[in-house]
Amino acid sequence: AIAQVCYFVRVWGYTLLTPSTVRWVLALEILHGVTFAFLWTCAVEFARSNSPEGWGATMQTIFRVAYYCFGVGVGAVLGGWAMQEYGARWMYRMAGVLIFGVFCIRVTVLLTYRCIACIRASCFEDIPGQEGGGLDYDP
């Protein structure tokens, strides 16, 4: 989530630059390091925790191939087309909107799952004074 927010701020910041504020590009580029570091740290941990025993390196390799081959390739083609047709400012704004939209969906899904887990935990906890220790619900 931090990587997505940093990416959004960076690419949206690019679109706000003018000839008099061009020095701010250095501050925005610092966010590239933060974005990249958080992305790869999370990717490695995700691959490690979601792969079978002994397959962690293979999963990291699959992620790396997907990112560098598919992601960079598709991004170069679509980004090049968008820059040619609409200009750099529009391309960076749309990239920012896309990443921010994915971020919003991600946060919504995460909060929904957490709320559902809390509701389930509170609905099916033991109720004092009942025989059997609470609700016996088996769908």
Side-chain angles (χ1 to χ4, degrees), residues 16-132:
L16 302 176
L17 293 175
T18 63
S20 63
T21 62
V22 75
R23 291 187 182 109
W24 281 98
V25 75
L26 295 175
L28 292 172
E29 281 302 309
I30 291 172
L31 290 176
H32 178 70
V34 175
T35 302
F36 195 77
F38 275 107
L39 171 74
W40 280 111
T41 302
C42 292
V44 167
E45 177 57 26
F46 181 82
R48 185 200 62 76
S49 64
N50 290 302
S51 61
E53 186 69 32
W55 285 78
T58 303
M59 294 303 285
Q60 290 177 35
T61 302
I62 291 170
F63 177 78
R64 188 176 178 97
V65 167
Y67 179 84
Y68 280 114
C69 294
F70 181 73
V72 171
V74 170
V77 170
L78 293 179
W81 172 80
M83 187 178 279
Q84 183 178 2
E85 293 294 319
Y86 301 104
R89 189 175 305 263
W90 184 88
M91 180 197 67
Y92 279 111
R93 281 199 177 152
M94 290 305 106
V97 167
L98 177 69
I99 291 299
F100 189 72
V102 170
F103 170 76
C104 290
I105 291 169
R106 180 178 179 199
V107 168
T108 302
V109 168
L110 178 69
L111 291 176
T112 301
Y113 278 122
R114 286 195 178 178
C115 288
I116 289 171
C118 288
I119 290 169
R120 284 184 179 163
S122 65
C123 287
F124 297 112
E125 64 186 15
D126 291 339
I127 300 173
Q130 282 192 339
E131 288 187 34

